[in-house]
Amino acid sequence: MTMSSDPLFSCSTQCGWLIDGGEMGALIRSMDWSQTPLGPRRLWPQSLCAVLCLCFDSPLPSAIAWGPQSALIYNDSFRAFCGVSHPQSMGRALRECWPSTWPTISEALELARAGKACCLNDQRIFLERAGRLEETFVTLAFSPIRDESAMESGGVFIQLVELTKDRSAAVLPVVPDRFPPAPVQGGITEPEERIHQLVASNIVGVFSADLRGGINDANDKLLHIVGYTREDLAAGRINWKEMTPPEFREATTRAEDELRSGGTCIPYQKEYIRKDGTRVPVIVWSALVAGAPGAGIAFVIDLSERERTQEVLRRSEEQWRDVFENNPTMYFIVDASGSVISVNTAGAEQLGYTVDELVGHSVLQVFPETVQSEARRHVADCLEQPGRTVNWEIRKIRKDGSMLWVRETAKAVVRETNQLIVLIVCEDITERVQAQEKLRRSEAFLAEAQKISHTGSWGWNVSSGAVVWSEEHYRIFGMDPKASMTPTFEQVLQLVHPDDQLRIRHILDEAIRKGSGFDCEYRITPSDGQVKYLQAVGKPIVTESGSIDDYIGTTMDITARKHAEDALRQAHDALEKRVQERTAELKESNQRLELEIVERKLAETVLARRSQELARSNAELEQLAYVASHDLQEPLRMVASYLQLIERRYQDRLDADGHEFIGYAVDGAHRMQALIDDLLAYSRIGTKRKPMRAVDCAEVVKTVMQSLSIAI
C-alpha cells in the first residue's frame, strides 16, 4: 500500500488548513466529530477539505452536504439559515436540520449527488427563526463535489442567496458594466448591495467578462492575483482565456458548457498565467448575468498560499512517512475483523516478517495461541468505544518462534467510508519485563530469605515518624502484613519492653545527633504476650544538603538465639560445677597416687636392698653349695666305688641279701650324688634357666618308690 493513502498520514495533510474559518471554524475545531457521520476530522478526505476551504472563504451563505446522510457543514453566513437548530445542526443530517425545506430541495440535492449541477431559483421555503416559522425566498445552487476517484460524488456544495425582500432577483443579481462604489443610501437592491460589498472587500477576486475571454471589469484582488494593473484592464490587455494554460482548457470548456446549460458552473481548480509569465493556482466559479446574454461574473480564489502550505504539508507528510517506516516502534493498523491494513517496515522486521507477509492477514498470527483470545478481546474493546485510548501488555511471537513482550496503545477511529479501524502502537518492553521478573524473583528470594532467617527490613522517616516494613517485619511483631496498618515510630516504641524503652530512645537520639548508624538489642511484648528478643541495625540516608531525613535497616528475631545462649550459659555453669567437682576428685586421687608412689618407691628400695642381700646370700650359698657338693661328692664316690669293689670281689661269698644290701648302698650313693648335683645347680642363682621339658611321670613314681622302699 502507498503511505499517502494511509489514514495515519492523511490526517496531518488534511487538517492542517483548519486554522481559521470564523466562528464556524472554531466550532468545527472544538467538536468531537467521531460521534458524527463524518467521523474524526483527521480522516476527512482531501476533496471535502478543499471544498470546505472554499466554503469558509465564500462571502455567500455556503454549506456542504457530505456523505450518504448529507451531513451538514456551513460557514458563518449560512448560520442564520439554520435557525434554532444551530449549533446542533453542525454535522447532522441535512434532512434533520431543514425538515420543512426537505421536500423542496431533496430532488435537487439528489441530482447534484448524481453529478449534475442545478439551481432552484426564487424558491419559497419556511425556516424556523426567532422562535417561529418565517416565509423565505431564496435561490439555491447545488454543485457536486467529486471524491478522490473523480468518478463519484462524495457530497454537494450548496450556495444560497436570499431574495425575500426582492423576489424579482435572478440566480445572481445583475452586475453593471463597471463596479461602482456601493451606494450609501437606497436605490439598489439588497442582493446587489451584497455583491458590491463583496467586490469592494477584496476577499476574493471578482471580474465581469464574456464567454469570448474579454474582461470588462475586475476588482483589485483579481488584478493582484494575475499581476496586471488597472491600466492594463482599461487597455483591454487582460483576457481570461489567454491567461488559461493549455492543459486547463478542457476544464475551462467544460465550465463554459455548464454555464450555457445551467447558468452556473461547478467550482473548479485551474491556473492563470500571470503578466510576468509565472503561474498562479486558483479556484474559479462563475454564473451568467440575467438579461445580458454571454456576459457573466466570476469569482476567483488565490490558491498560491494554500499550494505553498500544501507543499509544506506534503514534505511534512514525507518526513512523517519516513518516521513511520523507520521508527523502531512497531505500528499496526487493523480493521474490525482483525486483518492487518498497514504495518511499518521496522515493526515487521522486529517480528521477522516483511510488510507483505503481514498486510492482508490476521493480526493474530503474531500472537501465541495462548493469548490470541486476549488480543481479540482488546481489539473488541477498542471497537466498542471508538476514540478511546486503550493500553495493555501482551506477548507476541516472532516468525522464528521466539517471544517478545510489548505494551500496546490502541484507539479505534472511523475512516471516511465509515469503516472502523484500530491504530495500534507497540512498544517493545521485553527487557523491562525480564528485569521485572528478575526483580520479582529477587524480591521473592529476599522475602523467603528474610522469612527463613527471621529478618525484616524497614525504613523510617525521622521528621514524620512514618515507617515502612517488609512482610517479615510485620510477622516478627506478630502482625498480619495484609490486614495490619503500618504503625508509626511512637507506636513501635510502645511495643518495646518497658525496661528497654528509655535505652532504645537514647540510642536512636544519639544516632540522629551524630548522624551515625546504630546496632542494638531490645525486647518487645507483642499482643500474644510472649517476650521476643530483637536486634536492630540502622543506617542513615544523607541528603545532598548533608541532613538526615531517613534511616533504613534490618530487624532480626534473635529470641531463639537468646534462648540458646541461656541454655548454653546454664550448661556452662553446670559443666563448670562438674569440672570443679571432678577437679577435687582428681586432686584427691592424685594425692592418693602420690602416696602410693612414695610407698612403692619405699618398697622398691627395700626390695632392691633385699635383692642385693639375696644376691649376696645366693652367691655365698652357691659358693657354699659348690664347696659342699665337691667335698660331699668325693666320699660318696669313694663309698660307691668300694661297695662296687666289694660286690665284685666277694660276689661268690655273699648271699642274696648281701647282694641286695650292697645294691641298696650303691644306689643310695648314686642318688645322693644326684641330689648334690641338683643342689649345686639350684644354688646357682643368676645362671640361665634350663628349658622346660616333658617328663615321664611313671619313671618319677618308680624313682620315688625305690627311694622310699626301706621306709615303706
Side-chain angles (χ1 to χ4, degrees):
M1 64 177 292
T2 59
M3 298 309 301
S4 60
S5 64
D6 197 319
L8 200 60
F9 293 101
S10 59
C11 303
S12 61
T13 303
Q14 296 166 7
C15 297
W17 53 266
L18 198 55
I19 57 176
D20 196 358
E23 293 183 11
M24 298 305 100
L27 176 61
I28 289 175
R29 289 192 295 273
S30 66
M31 289 179 57
D32 180 8
W33 288 89
S34 63
Q35 306 301 318
T36 70
L38 290 171
R41 281 190 297 121
R42 63 178 178 276
L43 299 181
W44 290 358
Q46 292 180 353
S47 54
L48 170 59
C49 295
V51 178
L52 189 53
C53 293
L54 179 64
C55 178
F56 282 152
D57 289 340
S58 174
L60 299 177
S62 304
I64 298 172
W66 187 262
Q69 300 183 38
S70 296
L72 187 63
I73 308 176
Y74 46 88
N75 63 5
D76 290 355
S77 300
F78 196 89
R79 172 181 174 179
F81 295 91
C82 294
V84 295
S85 65
H86 177 79
Q88 290 79 11
S89 54
M90 184 69 77
R92 290 178 58 192
L94 180 59
R95 184 170 188 169
E96 298 175 4
C97 303
W98 271 10
S100 59
T101 61
W102 184 253
T104 303
I105 67 172
S106 59
E107 183 177 354
L109 190 68
E110 288 303 315
L111 283 174
R113 287 183 59 82
K116 184 176 182 180
C118 59
C119 290
L120 295 177
N121 293 314
D122 197 14
Q123 290 294 314
R124 179 191 185 194
I125 61 175
F126 291 89
L127 298 176
E128 186 177 356
R129 296 191 289 194
R132 60 187 177 85
L133 284 176
E134 293 184 359
E135 183 182 37
T136 308
F137 292 89
V138 296
T139 291
L140 295 144
F142 299 87
S143 303
I145 304 173
R146 305 291 181 182
D147 61 13
E148 278 66 17
S149 66
M151 301 297 295
E152 297 181 0
S153 175
V156 177
F157 182 51
I158 304 172
Q159 288 187 298
L160 179 152
V161 176
E162 186 173 2
L163 305 173
T164 305
K165 294 182 180 180
D166 186 1
R167 293 183 56 193
S168 63
V171 176
L172 288 174
V174 175
V175 180
D177 291 340
R178 307 294 294 174
F179 291 135
V184 179
Q185 299 177 352
I188 191 169
T189 64
E190 183 177 351
E192 289 175 334
E193 181 180 353
R194 291 181 180 176
I195 294 298
H196 280 291
Q197 291 175 351
L198 172 62
V199 172
S201 68
N202 286 312
I203 297 175
V204 297
V206 183
F207 67 91
S208 63
D210 56 45
L211 295 179
R212 295 186 301 274
I215 296 179
N216 302 319
D217 202 354
N219 66 349
D220 292 340
K221 181 66 175 180
L222 188 278
L223 295 175
H224 174 73
I225 291 173
V226 297
Y228 285 89
T229 65
R230 193 159 291 280
E231 288 75 14
D232 294 327
L233 177 64
R237 289 193 291 268
I238 308 177
N239 186 292
W240 63 266
K241 281 193 174 183
E242 293 177 358
M243 288 192 301
T244 301
E247 63 266 27
F248 291 100
R249 288 174 184 169
E250 181 179 351
T252 303
T253 301
R254 187 166 55 248
E256 292 177 19
D257 293 340
E258 292 175 358
L259 284 171
R260 292 188 178 95
S261 62
T264 63
C265 72
I266 300 172
Y268 65 100
Q269 185 171 340
K270 62 182 292 185
E271 291 181 357
Y272 279 137
I273 301 174
R274 293 166 56 90
K275 183 178 180 180
D276 61 5
T278 60
R279 294 189 179 195
V280 56
V282 295
I283 289 180
V284 179
W285 78 101
S286 56
L288 293 178
V289 178
I297 184 170
F299 300 88
V300 180
I301 296 178
D302 185 355
L303 296 181
S304 57
E305 183 63 32
R306 187 167 301 159
E307 290 285 339
R308 286 191 291 269
T309 303
Q310 289 178 346
E311 176 62 19
V312 172
L313 291 175
R314 185 189 63 78
R315 293 177 181 176
S316 176
E317 178 182 335
E318 291 179 353
Q319 292 175 353
W320 281 107
R321 184 185 304 118
D322 291 338
V323 170
F324 177 83
E325 284 296 328
N326 302 306
N327 196 312
T329 303
M330 190 185 309
Y331 295 96
F332 272 87
I333 302 177
V334 300
D335 61 19
S337 67
S339 295
V340 178
I341 298 175
S342 176
V343 60
N344 64 328
T345 303
E349 290 176 351
Q350 287 185 52
L351 296 171
Y353 292 92
T354 64
V355 172
D356 292 338
E357 288 177 318
L358 294 175
V359 173
H361 300 277
S362 173
V363 73
L364 295 179
Q365 70 173 314
V366 299
F367 294 95
E369 291 185 3
T370 54
V371 299
Q372 287 183 0
S373 59
E374 179 184 351
R376 190 182 293 109
R377 184 177 68 254
H378 289 312
V379 173
D381 290 342
C382 293
L383 294 171
E384 289 176 2
Q385 303 182 59
R388 186 174 70 91
T389 300
V390 183
N391 298 295
W392 64 84
E393 294 182 1
I394 197 169
R395 284 182 300 144
K396 282 190 172 182
I397 184 169
R398 297 186 179 92
K399 188 176 181 180
D400 61 8
S402 60
M403 297 289 181
L404 72 159
W405 276 91
V406 295
R407 174 180 172 81
E408 298 194 330
T409 302
K411 178 189 290 187
V413 296
V414 182
R415 304 185 79 172
E416 63 272 14
T417 58
N418 289 330
Q419 176 191 11
L420 273 175
I421 61 173
V422 182
L423 310 178
I424 307 173
V425 179
C426 310
E427 176 189 1
D428 188 347
I429 59 170
T430 304
E431 293 184 0
R432 193 196 77 188
V433 171
Q434 291 174 346
Q436 288 176 341
E437 176 62 18
K438 185 177 180 180
L439 178 61
R440 186 194 64 78
R441 294 184 62 187
S442 177
E443 289 177 344
F445 290 153
L446 177 60
E448 189 64 23
Q450 288 187 351
K451 189 175 181 180
I452 293 172
S453 63
H454 300 291
T455 302
S457 55
W458 51 264
W460 170 38
N461 184 272
V462 177
S463 57
S464 67
V467 296
V468 179
W469 284 359
S470 67
E471 291 188 2
E472 184 60 22
H473 208 282
Y474 279 97
R475 284 189 283 267
I476 290 174
F477 277 77
M479 300 178 184
D480 185 350
K482 296 182 180 179
S484 302
M485 294 288 291
T486 303
T488 64
F489 174 72
E490 291 297 329
Q491 291 173 333
V492 174
L493 277 181
Q494 295 303 315
L495 297 174
V496 177
H497 194 281
D499 295 343
D500 295 342
Q501 287 185 10
L502 187 60
R503 177 175 59 86
I504 292 301
R505 190 181 293 275
H506 175 72
I507 291 174
L508 297 180
D509 289 343
E510 283 294 305
I512 296 173
R513 185 178 65 82
K514 297 178 180 179
S516 62
F518 59 85
D519 186 345
C520 60
E521 296 181 3
Y522 60 95
R523 293 166 294 173
I524 62 171
T525 53
S527 57
D528 58 6
Q530 185 178 2
V531 177
K532 285 186 176 181
Y533 291 85
L534 307 181
Q535 180 184 19
V537 179
K539 176 184 178 182
I541 303 299
V542 182
T543 64
E544 294 181 357
S545 62
S547 62
I548 296 176
D549 294 335
D550 297 280
Y551 271 82
I552 59 172
T554 60
T555 299
M556 179 182 291
D557 185 352
I558 59 173
T559 304
R561 191 185 81 186
K562 283 294 185 181
H563 290 166
E565 288 177 353
D566 290 342
L568 182 61
R569 186 167 49 255
Q570 293 175 5
H572 180 271
D573 293 343
L575 180 60
E576 184 66 24
K577 182 179 179 181
R578 179 60 180 160
V579 168
Q580 292 176 356
E581 292 175 352
R582 184 59 178 165
T583 301
E585 293 176 358
L586 289 175
K587 185 176 180 180
E588 183 179 353
S589 297
N590 286 338
Q591 290 175 351
R592 289 198 302 268
L593 182 59
E594 289 175 356
L595 181 59
E596 290 178 359
I597 291 173
V598 172
E599 293 177 349
R600 184 169 182 177
K601 286 184 176 180
L602 182 59
E604 289 177 349
T605 302
V606 173
L607 182 59
R609 189 171 57 251
R610 290 183 178 178
S611 295
Q612 293 175 356
E613 293 176 352
L614 180 59
R616 186 175 61 254
S617 175
N618 287 340
E620 293 176 351
L621 182 60
E622 182 180 357
Q623 185 65 30
L624 177 62
Y626 179 78
V627 173
S629 62
H630 184 273
D631 292 343
L632 290 175
Q633 284 183 358
E634 183 61 29
L636 284 176
R637 284 196 297 270
M638 187 175 289
V639 170
S641 299
Y642 279 104
L643 286 175
Q644 292 175 354
L645 182 59
I646 292 173
E647 184 180 11
R648 288 194 302 270
R649 186 175 289 179
Y650 299 103
Q651 182 177 4
D652 297 335
R653 298 177 185 178
L654 295 175
D655 55 11
D657 289 336
H659 285 288
E660 183 178 359
F661 293 154
I662 291 173
Y664 283 141
V666 172
D667 183 62
H670 287 164
R671 282 189 285 110
M672 185 63 181
Q673 185 174 1
L675 286 174
I676 292 172
D677 290 339
D678 291 341
L679 179 61
L680 179 60
Y682 182 75
S683 64
R684 292 175 181 169
I685 297 175
T687 59
K688 185 177 179 180
R689 292 185 177 182
K690 294 183 178 180
M692 300 292 289
R693 59 184 180 85
V695 297
D696 188 355
C697 294
E699 289 294 329
V700 173
V701 173
K702 180 179 178 181
T703 303
V704 171
M705 290 295 292
Q706 288 179 354
S707 299
L708 298 177
S709 60
I710 297 176
I712 294 174

